[in-house]
Structures are given as C-alpha cells and as structure tokens.
Amino acid sequence: MVMRHGVYLPPFGELADPRVLADIAAEAESAGFDGVFVWDHVARADEPDLAVGDCWIALAAIAAATSRVLFGPRVTPLSRRRPQDVARETVALDLLSGGRLVLGVGLGSDATGEFSRLGEVDGGRERAALLDESLAVITALWSGETVHHHGPAYEVDGLRFLPTPVRQPRIPIWVAAQSVRRAPLRRAARYDGLCPEASPDRLADMLAVVAEYRGDLDGFDVAVAATEDRDAYERAGATWWLRSLPMGVSRAEALCAVRRGP
C-alpha cells in the first residue's frame, strides 16, 4: 500500500481559532497532503493560560474549506461524549465533506486531569467499557435501521437515525493503542484502522496481533503521527505518515510547515 501523508494539528494557542485551522487545512490540501487531523481536547490543566479550540467546530470549518483531503479527530475520547450526539455530528460532517470524514477514537489520558477535574470517568477500565459500548451504539445508529440497545451505560429504545453517512458501509473508524495489550488491539481489529503510539519495532508487533484477529491487514489503515523514522514506520506497516506539529506552534509556523508539502 502506498504511504499517504497528512498533517496533525494541535488546536492550541493561535491554532485554537477554527478559522486558522481551516486556512492551514486548505494550504495543506493545496500542497499535496492527503489528510488533516486534529487533536481533541477540552482543557489543558497543566497550562491554564493556554487557549484551547474545539476540535469538532474546527472539523466543520476544515470540511468547508477543503474538497479532497480526508480529515477527522485523532483521537476523540468517547467516554466523555454521548454516542447519539457523536452519531449525529459525524454524519453531518460526512455529508458536509462529501464522505471524507475519518473517526479516530480512543481512551484519552487523564495525565493532566482533563477527565478527573471535570468530573468525567477517569478509570481506564471504565473508559474502555464506555468506548466499546459507544462504538456499538454509533455504528448501529449510522445504519439507518431501527436501533434497540439496552446497555449498562446507554439506551436506544427503538429509534432510527436518518440520514445515513455518505461513506459506506460506514464512516471509517481508527482506534488508538499504545502497546501490544490484547484488548485495545482486538478493538482496533474490529474496525478500520489503528492510531499507534509506539516505536517502529513495537508497531510491527502490534500489527501482527491485529492481523491475527482480522486474518489479514487488507484495507486496514495505520496512521502514525511522528517527526522522525518515517521509513522505519513504513516498513513496520504504517499506511499514513502524519506530520505532527508541536503544541504552541504559531499560525505562521504551521503554514510554513505545510507549504513545504509532504
């Protein structure tokens, strides 16, 4: 599979403004990138003076400002979102963009207190359970069929969500994982891609586990966000190389980086 190239944008500081992110995305598309992906955070408790942008409003701006690139959150922690809201928002973004949305999901991290200091569930196992149940609800609602879901956290009592996504059989879902632990990789194998946080060697081990669950890696995306070792990641099985811009990058610096092209 030919490696595709994207940019990975932190919506902080000057990039907290969705208009700025839309401008950068348009420049990235013009420069030949294949995708634009945005961090999803609501607060940075360790940096109280830092401006933080809303990922989902930014994605709408990016969808409207571009015509070709794939785009999406990398990654959104579903434990702090209502699955019915995510289902509605993702379909709206998919329609707005003509079928270019990718939904990146994961547990997120409470390292800076982003969950606990806002009263969100902060235990890893609890967030994992909410992630799995949310994905079941979201994909069922995307189907356009009448949904009956009676789970430990969420309820859908005979509702049908229309319209359905442009992208079929569904909007692609990429799942984050950081190790060769079986549960996260089993989750990723059920869907369409992996967002790894790992070295090239560890990535190869992770993909071996994913292939064991799936049978093969045909059509399975692997989106690495890093600043070095591109060739090593490609040999390990990465299909996307995301140029990761640092927190605190200015608008001018970001535009300069994307104008150089992939």
Side-chain angles (χ1 to χ4, degrees), residues 74-148:
R74 188 192 184 275
V75 297
T76 192
L78 285 182
S79 65
R80 69 174 181 219
R81 304 293 309 280
R82 303 297 295 179
Q84 62 268 26
D85 293 335
V86 176
R88 282 293 190 207
E89 291 163 1
T90 49
V91 170
L93 285 168
D94 195 59
L95 292 171
L96 180 62
S97 66
R100 294 185 286 121
L101 178 68
V102 175
L103 177 60
V105 301
L107 297 186
S109 169
D110 196 43
T112 65
E114 188 170 348
F115 293 96
S116 56
R117 293 182 65 175
L118 288 168
E120 300 282 359
V121 173
D122 59 357
R125 289 186 178 180
E126 292 84 358
R127 283 186 283 130
L130 290 171
L131 172 58
D132 285 329
E133 189 177 350
S134 289
L135 286 171
V137 173
I138 290 165
T139 53
L141 292 173
W142 281 348
S143 73
E145 302 297 325
T146 300
V147 176
H148 298 272

Side-chain angles (χ1 to χ4, degrees), residues 65-231:
T66 59
S67 61
R68 179 184 57 79
V69 290
L70 299 185
F71 70 102
R74 188 192 184 275
V75 297
T76 192
L78 285 182
S79 65
R80 69 174 181 219
R81 304 293 309 280
R82 303 297 295 179
Q84 62 268 26
D85 293 335
V86 176
R88 282 293 190 207
E89 291 163 1
T90 49
V91 170
L93 285 168
D94 195 59
L95 292 171
L96 180 62
S97 66
R100 294 185 286 121
L101 178 68
V102 175
L103 177 60
V105 301
L107 297 186
S109 169
D110 196 43
T112 65
E114 188 170 348
F115 293 96
S116 56
R117 293 182 65 175
L118 288 168
E120 300 282 359
V121 173
D122 59 357
R125 289 186 178 180
E126 292 84 358
R127 283 186 283 130
L130 290 171
L131 172 58
D132 285 329
E133 189 177 350
S134 289
L135 286 171
V137 173
I138 290 165
T139 53
L141 292 173
W142 281 348
S143 73
E145 302 297 325
T146 300
V147 176
H148 298 272
H149 177 92
H150 307 287
Y154 304 118
E155 182 86 9
V156 184
D157 189 9
L159 295 179
R160 185 183 184 200
F161 271 31
L162 294 172
T164 57
V166 173
R167 185 78 72 91
Q168 291 296 325
R170 66 174 174 226
I171 295 167
I173 296 171
W174 295 353
V175 179
Q178 298 179 323
S179 71
V180 292
R181 290 176 57 204
R182 290 272 164 168
L185 296 177
R186 186 184 306 115
R187 180 183 301 119
R190 290 198 297 267
Y191 296 100
D192 311 292
L194 177 70
C195 296
E197 303 293 337
S199 67
D201 289 344
R202 181 59 60 87
L203 174 60
D205 293 339
M206 293 165 72
L207 290 179
V209 176
V210 172
E212 177 185 331
Y213 286 124
R214 289 175 59 89
D216 57 51
L217 295 173
D218 291 348
F220 189 78
D221 278 307
V222 181
V224 171
T227 58
E228 56 186 17
D229 294 333
R230 177 194 178 282
D231 292 344

